[in-house]
Amino acid sequence: MPVSDSPSTSRRLLALLSLLQARRDWPAPALARRLDVSERTVRRDIERLRDLDYTIDSTRGPDGGYRLQAGSQLPPLVFDDEQAVAIALALRTASSLGVDMEEAAARALGTVTRLMPSRLANRIENLEAASSGDRGRVVVDPGVLLRIGEAIRVGEELRFDYASPGSDPVGEDAPAPRRNEPHHLLLHAGRWYLIGYSPEKAEWRIYRVDRITPRSHSGRRFEPRTVPGGDPARFLAARFKGSTGADTWACWGEATLDVPLAAVAPYLADGSAEALAANRCRVRLGSWSWGSLAAAFLRFEADVAEAEPAALRAAFATLAERARSASRP
């Protein structure tokens, strides 16, 4: 619909820019109809935008048209209401991304909200992201993320120092730089991880990005590989469950608990349970080891019986001995 019967040039330019951002190609007659002006006026307005450093190509066709392209610098942008709210919400929660750019996000949020109409600002004013008390949060240098992302894009091997727990990052005993073919960069539980292939070890490796200090690129190029299973996110999730294959726990077991089903159901995560009686249920859980699985059953503070398989029963025996030792003065 037209912006106005007699729109000012500035309002018309903003409306034109918003339309150009909304889709890839615009026929000149369609732009003229949307703005309620002549095609000649559209051509003049396109030239005004080009003078403001917007890269706008002319497209061929029966009617001719225009296409907004990426330029050499970031020009002013125009957002609709939903886009503005989405950007503000993303900036408010930037601290949860684990990237050291809170100050830049705060400045950008101030710019966006300062220009927002009150009807939009009121929708997000109460959605504060609490981060001041999160002293243990791990953040990464955005430059390191960009460096890794570029290596993934061009298929170039990375050389980097890696601060493994307990290692000395400097001195004579410092470990040799790692060499890795980077394939995927993922955010998981507030931390960034690199999934790459080690040609020296002939296996896939996972690295925490906050422990990576890139060195100069070796320049060696590599052909992209497919992560086992084909899904990087599931591959990463499987490693956190102690599995080198499917996205599932390495150990699964069942046991009967003398407790109502309602008392355990909210805490089963990817486990399951069924009621056997009013105060008894059969529970199935998974974990990365048999010992941790046995401990998971004991956290319900109920009598445990009929545990399967045998490895789980052996883990209960081991935990019982450890508990006895811990109870001695």
Side-chain angles (χ1 to χ4, degrees), residues 18-143:
S18 179
L19 292 173
L20 290 171
Q21 290 176 173
R23 77 186 211 194
R24 180 173 175 80
D25 294 303
W26 275 99
L31 286 173
R33 287 194 300 270
R34 292 290 295 269
L35 298 171
D36 196 21
V37 296
S38 66
E39 292 185 39
R40 181 179 179 183
T41 299
V42 171
R43 287 195 296 272
R44 288 202 303 265
D45 288 346
I46 290 291
E47 290 303 320
R48 291 189 178 101
L49 290 177
R50 286 170 174 164
D51 290 340
L52 294 173
D53 293 329
Y54 290 94
T55 304
I56 302 174
D57 295 338
S58 298
T59 60
R60 297 180 179 180
D63 299 317
Y66 303 98
R67 177 185 301 157
L68 182 63
Q69 300 280 22
S72 58
Q73 60 184 359
L74 185 65
L77 303 175
V78 177
F79 303 106
D80 60 29
D81 288 3
E82 290 185 348
Q83 289 174 323
V85 171
I87 290 171
L89 290 177
L91 292 171
R92 279 197 185 279
T93 58
S95 61
S96 65
L97 298 178
V99 183
D100 187 15
M101 54 189 309
E102 286 188 54
E103 191 271 337
R107 286 190 287 110
L109 178 61
T111 300
V112 172
T113 54
R114 190 164 52 248
L115 299 176
M116 271 187 175
S118 59
R119 70 177 188 278
L120 299 182
N122 291 339
R123 295 169 61 183
I124 63 169
E125 64 179 354
N126 295 321
L127 299 176
E128 296 289 345
S131 61
S132 58
D134 190 7
R135 296 181 178 271
R137 184 169 51 86
V138 176
V139 297
V140 302
D141 183 345

Side-chain angles (χ1 to χ4, degrees), residues 15 19 50 62 71 95 169 178 202 204 256 275 286 311 324:
L19 292 173
R50 286 170 174 164
S95 61
R178 309 288 180 96
W204 289 87
T256 299
R324 278 192 293 270

Side-chain angles (χ1 to χ4, degrees), residues 196-269:
Y197 184 82
S198 171
E200 295 176 332
K201 303 293 185 180
E203 64 182 14
W204 289 87
R205 291 292 183 92
I206 296 174
Y207 302 95
R208 274 178 47 175
V209 175
D210 60 290
R211 295 175 176 172
I212 290 178
T213 302
R215 291 201 174 194
S216 59
H217 284 179
S218 67
R220 191 183 75 83
R221 299 298 178 95
F222 62 88
E223 292 296 323
R225 304 172 189 264
T226 301
V227 71
D231 187 331
R234 291 180 66 86
F235 176 79
L236 181 62
R239 290 298 182 93
F240 282 110
K241 293 178 178 177
S243 172
T244 58
D247 179 16
T248 187
W249 295 109
C251 304
W252 282 92
E254 296 185 6
T256 299
L257 302 182
D258 288 342
V259 67
L261 176 61
V264 302
Y267 312 105
L268 295 177

Side-chain angles (χ1 to χ4, degrees), residues 249 252-257 261 264-275 281-286 293 297 299-300:
W249 295 109
W252 282 92
E254 296 185 6
T256 299
L257 302 182
L261 176 61
V264 302
Y267 312 105
L268 295 177
D270 52 358
S272 60
E274 61 175 336
C281 60
R282 185 72 174 171
V283 178
R284 184 172 188 268
L285 297 175
L293 181 57
F297 280 101
R299 66 192 167 102
F300 294 110

